[in-house]
Amino acid sequence: MINTAFKFYSVLKNEDAMPYIGGNLLVAADGLGGSGSTVHAIDRVKHTDMHGDIIAGAFGDMKTVSTELRGYIEELIAPMVDGRDDTSALWASRIVIARCVYAFTEGEFQKSDLSDKKVRAMLAEFIETGLHNVSRKFDLQKGKYDGQLLLPTTLACIRYSEKERSVIAETVWAGDSRCYALLPDGLKLLSLDDEDDSGSITNLFYADNDKVTLNYICHEIPKPCALLAVSDGIFDPFDPHENLGVEYILLSAIKEHNSPQEVATALYNFYGSIHGDDATLSFVPFGFDSYKDMQNKLAQRTDKIIAVRNKQVKLYGALEVMNQSEEEASHYVLSRTNDRYDYIVPILVDTIESGAQDIALTSTIRKIAVAATKACGESAEKARKQRRAQSMNALYNYVKNNPLCVTHLFVNSIFLQYPNGGQQKEITCLFTQLFSKAQDYNNKNKLNAELATKKSELEAKSEAFHWRIMEKISFYRNKFDGMWGDKISDCKLRYNTNIYLRIWQEIDFDLQYHRSVSYIGNLPVADRSLANEIRTYIDDCRKVKEQIKRMRSSGDNSYRSFIEAWNAVYDYLNRCPSAINNILTDQAVQQFGFDISDERFIMELGKNSRNRIISEFKAQKEVIVSDIVKSLSENCDKISVIDGQYNATRLELFRTYYRLKSMDSGELKAFESQLAKLETEYNSLIIK
């Protein structure tokens, strides 16, 4: 074997493992991105030594490991110990491929008889052990959705031994990763995909699966040849002509480049640019004297395959579509549009928002979008008006109930500010009047408060007067009791006592009804001082009450004037909403919710419109899916922004069918003849 072996790994999802070449072995493993999409959030507190824990869990039962294999394992687990959480698929492919390589190169299966089912069962059990141990050590859980598995992966490997004129290739696999042999006569598939009719994988490795089966086929392949182990990312892009596609891209790269390293780079770049999956390939040649010799011995096959491929590209998919019914021809696109609808909808909305034209944007879809946008705009505008009405109402009530806030207009107001900067004369006059009326009301309100305070202070003296009157009454009663039998004195004392009793009873009455204390002139001169004080007190109270009454009436009038002035300003603000930001301080604008700018409103409206359109599209999924499929069929010569949601080959088959359907009978017959010739030519190149 010349030194022209190579391998490459086109990393997109990072779910494939780095392929292996060495020790008479080629291996590829593809972590399944769908069923293994669960992201494992590792407890970093518990597992502070991720590297050591992974080595112990996945490979702890592997005895002596060579320096070379240890280096390969370190390369495999590097993304598992980088501090970021990874998918179940990423962990699975790396654990399985490392244990497989160890088993064949350094473990107990180096010289085992792989044709023996029991041996392969033991090998499968050994490989599975790493998955079981890791899942338990890290307490890994499978995803919550149907179809998700814990640590799922495929495996494909070739153990080979070289003879003088041939190579014995023992192929072992589980899943849809493949093994090939490339000969000067063509590409031979050495394995058969473990898939059912729907394309679902029926046999694979995953944690706690005790039913995985390692398939086995042994081939003796004549030299010169090459062996390949690949993941499905190598052949899926060429479905349904996988062999032709793989052979074409491989032979073309060998022809066009001058070294295995250049071929690996070319293949890496090609697969990295055509789809969203990892692509893994390991390649080992036999029986070639040099790289140039390999090019020469493959040249004839290369030219034929390139010619066939060119014809196939030109007449893409015609072999499959000629005898289909329209239902069969459109089944894939219809089914895929349904399945990928949640991804297609945002693309359609993006295209609508950009103003671009596209065949997928049918008139029905545009009408739905326009109606949704209009409804959203009307709803948003209604909400905006309601929100502004609420803000205006809150503003109105606040100023109405707090006239004092207006008097600060000219003194660092925290609420209303005097209009400035080219405002209309009307609002300036209205604000001047509002300020004047508010100031007048607040001044009268202040004076009224002062009078009320004075009234309260005066009325508080009544208790003191009551005590003094009580003392007088007690005085006269005592004298009255001491002069028993003196009729003249008795009458006089009784009279004086009654006067003070009347004064006692009438203080509150007089304060309420503004009457003067009577009988003062009949009191002894010595007692008239208190009575006069009381009369003066009552007169003062009456005057204050009268002032309060007048002030209250005046205050009511000034408050009405203030409200009239505020109503005039408020009416103006309703007529000219743009004045809000000029007459309200920033604090007030924010407090009452006037801070929703046009820019913010438009941004919110755009976001709400987009969500409304997406919601409407999803609600009318059946109609829109049908419309999209119809438009794609009627515009089969045009591309669309949603093309990326379909398998390129199958979409082209769909379009080819409708292109052919539009041909006249003469064209169709000529094309049928050309396709039949192409099929005969292609079949003659396939190794049976």
Side-chain angles (χ1 to χ4, degrees):
M1 180 180 71
I2 61 169
N3 186 26
T4 53
F6 66 85
K7 63 181 180 179
F8 80 88
Y9 172 26
S10 176
V11 181
L12 291 171
K13 295 182 179 179
N14 206 22
E15 289 163 352
D16 285 10
M18 177 62 67
Y20 181 82
I21 296 177
N24 291 352
L25 191 68
L26 296 84
V27 193
D30 178 3
L32 300 182
S35 56
S37 59
T38 303
V39 176
H40 295 305
I42 304 301
D43 184 348
R44 307 287 174 177
V45 176
K46 179 179 178 181
H47 297 283
T48 55
D49 181 12
M50 279 292 292
H51 181 278
D53 288 347
I54 288 174
I55 293 294
F59 314 117
D61 59 337
M62 290 164 40
K63 299 176 183 178
T64 304
V65 179
S66 67
T67 302
E68 180 183 357
L69 180 54
R70 184 177 290 108
Y72 176 63
I73 291 175
E74 290 294 337
E75 184 178 10
L76 287 174
I77 69 172
M80 301 164 67
V81 297
D82 60 4
R84 292 175 291 189
D85 295 331
D86 301 303
T87 64
S88 203
L90 182 147
W91 280 45
S93 62
R94 284 152 177 77
I95 294 169
V96 165
I97 198 170
R99 293 183 69 85
C100 177
V101 170
Y102 171 81
F104 280 126
T105 60
E106 300 179 16
E108 60 182 287
F109 297 91
Q110 296 179 59
K111 298 181 180 180
S112 57
D113 180 6
L114 296 178
S115 65
D116 187 335
K117 289 184 178 180
K118 292 182 179 179
V119 172
R120 297 201 306 276
M122 292 172 61
L123 173 59
E125 183 179 357
F126 171 77
I127 293 173
E128 291 169 354
T129 299
L131 299 178
H132 304 329
N133 291 345
V134 164
S135 67
R136 286 192 292 268
K137 187 172 187 64
F138 288 91
D139 192 25
L140 303 182
Q141 304 295 321
K142 71 176 183 178
K144 60 182 179 179
Y145 300 109
D146 290 343
Q148 287 188 313
L149 300 172
L150 184 58
L151 303 176
T153 185
T154 66
L155 178 68
C157 64
I158 302 175
R159 185 176 71 176
Y160 61 85
S161 58
E162 191 173 2
K163 295 185 176 182
E164 183 178 354
R165 296 181 180 274
S166 63
V167 177
I168 304 299
E170 295 182 281
T171 303
V172 178
W173 78 95
D176 64 348
S177 291
R178 292 181 181 176
C179 298
Y180 290 100
L182 178 64
L183 297 90
D185 291 333
L187 190 69
K188 182 177 181 64
L189 184 60
L190 303 182
S191 60
L192 299 174
D193 295 347
D194 288 320
E195 290 183 345
D196 58 22
D197 293 339
S198 69
S200 298
I201 298 176
T202 57
N203 180 44
L204 70 155
F205 282 97
Y206 59 90
D208 300 324
N209 177 23
D210 56 0
K211 296 180 181 180
V212 63
T213 299
L214 282 173
N215 304 295
Y216 173 81
I217 298 178
C218 183
H219 299 82
E220 184 170 2
I221 304 169
K223 294 181 180 179
C225 65
L227 299 178
L228 295 81
V230 305
S231 68
D232 66 347
I234 294 295
F235 52 83
D236 269 355
F238 305 108
D239 176 48
H241 301 291
E242 298 100 328
N243 282 19
L244 175 58
V246 173
E247 191 173 355
Y248 166 76
I249 188 62
L250 179 60
L251 291 177
S252 297
I254 291 173
K255 177 182 179 179
E256 295 169 5
H257 297 88
N258 301 314
S259 70
Q261 293 74 27
E262 290 183 11
V263 173
T265 300
L267 293 174
Y268 175 91
N269 292 335
F270 171 78
Y271 282 104
S273 65
I274 63 170
H275 61 78
D277 197 6
D278 301 334
T280 297
L281 179 146
S282 54
F283 178 97
V284 180
F286 304 89
F288 300 104
D289 297 332
S290 64
Y291 183 81
K292 187 66 176 177
D293 181 49
M294 182 168 65
Q295 286 179 316
N296 292 336
K297 288 177 177 176
L298 295 175
Q300 186 176 3
R301 177 65 178 179
T302 300
D303 292 340
K304 286 185 178 182
I305 288 299
I306 289 175
V308 172
R309 174 63 175 174
N310 288 339
K311 288 183 181 179
Q312 190 232 6
V313 170
K314 184 178 180 181
L315 308 174
Y316 212 58
L319 291 171
E320 287 76 13
V321 302
M322 291 303 298
N323 297 316
Q324 291 184 102
S325 67
E326 185 167 2
E327 183 180 357
E328 290 173 328
S330 61
H331 173 74
Y332 166 74
V333 172
L334 179 62
S335 174
R336 184 68 171 174
T337 306
N338 269 302
D339 292 344
R340 300 291 295 175
Y341 192 69
D342 287 346
Y343 298 91
I344 289 173
V345 165
I347 297 173
L348 295 179
V349 177
D350 288 342
T351 308
I352 290 171
E353 290 179 341
S354 70
Q357 300 296 316
D358 192 87
I359 59 174
L361 296 179
T362 66
S363 59
T364 299
I365 292 174
R366 289 188 179 277
K367 285 178 183 177
I368 293 172
V370 169
T373 302
K374 182 180 179 182
C376 186
E378 291 173 350
S379 177
E381 189 59 37
K382 181 179 179 181
R384 187 186 194 187
K385 288 179 179 178
Q386 289 176 341
R387 182 164 54 191
R388 187 178 185 282
Q390 291 172 351
S391 298
M392 288 295 292
N393 187 55
L395 169 64
Y396 179 82
N397 289 327
Y398 185 88
V399 176
K400 175 184 175 182
N401 296 322
N402 297 277
L404 187 62
C405 73
V406 179
T407 61
H408 294 294
L409 282 172
F410 301 109
V411 189
N412 299 323
S413 173
I414 61 170
F415 187 71
L416 295 175
Q417 57 189 8
Y418 197 78
N420 57 60
Q423 274 287 337
Q424 295 180 9
K425 184 177 181 181
E426 180 183 358
I427 187 61
T428 304
C429 294
L430 290 175
F431 251 79
T432 301
Q433 187 174 16
L434 175 65
F435 171 74
S436 174
K437 298 299 183 183
Q439 198 169 41
D440 180 52
Y441 170 75
N442 286 321
N443 288 339
K444 290 178 179 178
N445 205 37
K446 181 180 178 181
L447 181 57
N448 194 36
E450 292 173 355
L451 288 171
T453 300
K454 185 174 181 181
K455 175 177 174 292
S456 297
E457 292 173 352
L458 284 171
E459 290 178 344
K461 294 180 179 180
S462 63
E463 186 175 356
F465 282 118
H466 285 146
W467 280 106
R468 293 175 67 185
I469 292 170
M470 193 64 188
E471 289 177 354
K472 288 290 184 181
I473 292 172
S474 297
F475 170 76
Y476 282 113
R477 279 180 174 172
N478 290 334
K479 290 188 69 173
F480 176 76
D481 292 338
M483 294 182 171
W484 187 259
D486 187 342
K487 293 183 178 180
I488 296 176
S489 299
D490 179 41
C491 291
K492 188 67 174 177
L493 290 172
R494 285 179 184 275
Y495 180 75
N496 290 343
T497 301
N498 287 332
I499 288 177
Y500 276 103
L501 286 172
R502 291 284 301 276
I503 292 174
W504 170 277
Q505 294 168 354
E506 292 181 2
I507 283 180
D508 291 331
F509 181 85
D510 290 331
L511 285 175
Q512 182 175 358
Y513 295 100
H514 314 302
R515 295 179 182 178
S516 298
V517 175
S518 57
Y519 314 112
I520 293 177
N522 296 322
L523 287 172
V525 175
D527 293 329
R528 291 178 187 174
S529 175
L530 175 59
N532 286 326
E533 283 185 52
I534 293 173
R535 183 169 58 186
T536 301
Y537 161 71
I538 291 175
D539 288 343
D540 289 343
C541 288
R542 183 174 65 251
K543 290 176 184 178
V544 170
K545 284 185 177 182
E546 290 173 352
Q547 286 179 321
I548 289 174
K549 183 178 180 180
R550 289 194 302 272
M551 189 55 64
R552 182 177 292 119
S553 175
S554 177
D556 290 344
N557 292 333
S558 63
Y559 181 71
R560 283 192 291 271
S561 297
F562 163 73
I563 293 300
E564 289 174 1
W566 172 227
N567 285 339
V569 172
Y570 183 75
D571 290 342
Y572 180 87
L573 295 180
N574 274 316
R575 286 186 284 112
C576 305
S578 60
I580 285 288
N581 289 325
N582 191 32
I583 67 165
L584 261 67
T585 63
D586 292 342
Q587 179 180 336
V589 166
Q590 185 175 5
Q591 177 180 340
F592 293 102
F594 289 109
D595 56 338
I596 307 300
S597 65
D598 286 342
E599 181 180 352
R600 179 177 165 189
F601 172 75
I602 291 170
M603 185 168 61
E604 288 182 357
L605 178 59
K607 180 180 178 182
N608 292 337
S609 274
R610 179 182 179 86
N611 292 338
R612 183 70 171 265
I613 293 172
I614 289 175
S615 178
E616 284 298 314
F617 279 1
K618 290 183 177 180
Q620 302 193 48
K621 177 179 178 179
E622 185 175 348
V623 172
I624 292 177
V625 167
S626 176
D627 225 41
I628 289 173
V629 175
K630 181 181 178 183
S631 183
L632 291 178
S633 67
E634 292 175 349
N635 298 276
C636 53
D637 290 321
K638 297 179 180 178
I639 62 172
S640 170
V641 291
I642 64 172
D643 281 5
Q645 301 304 310
Y646 305 89
N647 176 276
T649 303
R650 294 189 178 184
L651 180 60
E652 186 58 29
L653 287 174
F654 169 86
R655 285 172 168 159
T656 299
Y657 173 85
Y658 284 99
R659 290 191 196 107
L660 295 174
K661 189 178 178 182
S662 65
M663 292 181 178
D664 61 39
S665 59
E667 285 181 303
L668 189 56
K669 287 180 180 179
F671 193 54
E672 284 178 333
S673 176
Q674 189 177 10
L675 289 177
K677 182 179 178 181
L678 175 61
E679 185 167 3
T680 300
E681 181 182 353
Y682 175 66
N683 285 339
S684 69
L685 299 177
I686 299 175
I687 297 177
K688 304 297 184 183

